Amino acid sequence: MNPDKSPKKISACVKADSFPVAVIALLIVVAAAFAAIGMVEDPFSLFHPVEETDLTESEEAELLPCSELTLSGSTTVKPVSDLLAEAFMETHENCIVSVTGGGSGAGISSAGTGIVNIGSASRAVTDEELLKYPDLQTHTIGESAVVVILNGIEGNFTDKNELIKAFGDSDGQVDLVLDEKNGEIHVNKTGSSFQVFQRSDESGTEETFASYLGLGKNLDGYGAEGKLGNDGVLAAVENTSNSIAFVDFGFAERSKKVSIAGIESYKKTEITNKSIKAALAGTGKPFPSENSTLTRPLNYLTKGKPDSLEQTFIDFARSQDSVYIFKECGYFSIREIN
């Protein structure tokens, strides 16, 4: 007898082949029963294979690589960027946005060299910088203004020359004399009762203020003590009795320890959120005068055309949904101005 034809092996083969056939037959019967009572329209839909793309797309969505967006530059823009980054990451879970300061000059150079995705500056890019970084593109997200702050005296600098004397003093200390009759502040350089502060870092805030005074690109060499960033300057004035400095309007407005000085045609009581917004929008008198201004833009900068992630973040910064962030920082969104 051929061993391969033994009854035992033949029986085993029949059982192995018959099992799936029996199972399939049973499933068909069950499907037909469901169809009979209306639970399944197509009995054979139970046997349709799951499309591979469904699982694949789901897995890809969960395993998307984390995207990183880096911003650096103006300390004036940084408070806005910090809040924008936080809000952006809430709706873009696979994206990490990191923000650092360094000043407007650093923001322009880091964007121009491609060190960061987006640079920030609280001033326009100069012709010299554009020659150095010809691929730079500017994206204005808002505007603001620079104001003079005081601790220990309140009044108005109706004559800009008094400000020039104060910040152009060689030893960084001046006497501020208030004419109580008309509220005007005058500078007596023979005394040394008021401490003068400026910015120690490369700053669009200082460049705007120095340009307004006609003292060049910055106030270095004039004797005022330097502090880092708007926060550093504000803290120095808050903690120093009889002191004077300049900061962005948003920083001065939120402080309860300093007063905002009037400048030229603006009395101190007129320098408000509403009046500066009107000046920026062109619906109010210029701040502070016709010939020179302390207003400036808040800009994002990219090396060439933004990629999709950079453009998405810039669009978010310029959107109506982000207006509240600018208001919280004391600035004005481009949506409020245009």
Side-chain angles (χ1 to χ4, degrees), residues 216-287:
K217 187 176 180 180
N218 56 56
L219 300 176
D220 295 349
Y222 287 102
E225 183 178 343
K227 296 295 180 180
L228 183 63
N230 276 295
D231 279 320
V233 172
L234 177 63
V237 177
E238 287 181 329
N239 297 324
T240 306
S241 297
N242 298 332
S243 59
I244 180 174
F246 56 90
V247 294
D248 185 88
F249 171 75
F251 290 80
E253 185 188 35
R254 72 188 186 207
S255 175
K256 295 181 180 180
K257 296 182 179 181
V258 304
S259 62
I260 298 176
I263 305 176
E264 293 189 33
S265 62
Y266 275 84
K267 295 180 180 180
K268 62 180 182 178
T269 55
E270 296 177 321
I271 302 178
T272 64
N273 184 293
K274 183 178 180 181
S275 62
I276 291 181
K277 181 178 176 181
L280 294 172
T283 58
K285 62 182 179 180
F287 181 80

Side-chain angles (χ1 to χ4, degrees), residues 120-132:
S120 60
S122 54
R123 61 170 175 81
V125 178
T126 65
D127 292 339
E128 182 180 353
E129 288 166 333
L130 279 176
L131 285 174
K132 192 173 182 180

Side-chain angles (χ1 to χ4, degrees), residues 61-115:
E62 294 178 359
L63 299 177
L64 279 175
C66 180
S67 300
E68 184 175 5
L69 196 63
T70 54
L71 287 80
S72 178
S74 168
T75 56
T76 298
V77 182
K78 187 177 183 299
V80 172
S81 295
D82 285 335
L83 294 178
L84 286 171
E86 183 179 339
F88 187 81
M89 287 187 288
E90 288 181 359
T91 55
H92 297 76
E93 297 180 356
N94 291 318
C95 183
I96 296 176
V97 183
S98 58
V99 182
T100 57
S104 294
I108 290 170
S109 62
S110 59
T113 55
I115 295 176

Side-chain angles (χ1 to χ4, degrees), residues 102-306:
S104 294
I108 290 170
S109 62
S110 59
T113 55
I115 295 176
V116 297
N117 297 105
I118 300 175
S120 60
S122 54
R123 61 170 175 81
V125 178
T126 65
D127 292 339
E128 182 180 353
E129 288 166 333
L130 279 176
L131 285 174
K132 192 173 182 180
Y133 310 112
D135 296 330
L136 272 180
Q137 290 191 9
T138 298
H139 316 273
T140 301
I141 60 171
E143 290 191 50
S144 193
V146 180
V147 296
V148 174
I149 57 174
L150 299 164
N151 181 349
I153 192 171
E154 293 190 9
N156 304 307
F157 287 92
T158 57
D159 185 351
K160 186 168 66 173
N161 289 323
E162 300 296 339
L163 280 175
I164 295 173
K165 291 177 185 178
F167 287 91
D169 188 40
S170 60
D171 64 5
Q173 293 182 321
V174 296
D175 269 353
L176 300 182
V177 181
L178 176 65
D179 184 338
E180 295 184 359
K181 184 177 180 180
N182 54 26
E184 294 182 5
I185 295 176
H186 302 287
V187 178
N188 179 3
K189 295 179 66 174
T190 60
S192 59
S193 61
F194 269 75
Q195 177 67 47
V196 184
F197 293 104
Q198 66 167 51
R199 291 285 291 275
S200 61
D201 53 325
E202 188 176 356
S203 160
T205 307
E206 182 166 342
E207 289 183 24
T208 300
F209 189 68
S211 176
Y212 164 70
L213 296 181
L215 296 177
K217 187 176 180 180
N218 56 56
L219 300 176
D220 295 349
Y222 287 102
E225 183 178 343
K227 296 295 180 180
L228 183 63
N230 276 295
D231 279 320
V233 172
L234 177 63
V237 177
E238 287 181 329
N239 297 324
T240 306
S241 297
N242 298 332
S243 59
I244 180 174
F246 56 90
V247 294
D248 185 88
F249 171 75
F251 290 80
E253 185 188 35
R254 72 188 186 207
S255 175
K256 295 181 180 180
K257 296 182 179 181
V258 304
S259 62
I260 298 176
I263 305 176
E264 293 189 33
S265 62
Y266 275 84
K267 295 180 180 180
K268 62 180 182 178
T269 55
E270 296 177 321
I271 302 178
T272 64
N273 184 293
K274 183 178 180 181
S275 62
I276 291 181
K277 181 178 176 181
L280 294 172
T283 58
K285 62 182 179 180
F287 181 80
S289 71
E290 293 284 353
N291 299 322
S292 56
T293 180
L294 287 174
T295 58
R296 53 15 186 323
L298 307 179
N299 291 331
Y300 276 160
L301 305 144
T302 57
K303 184 179 181 181
K305 183 179 179 180

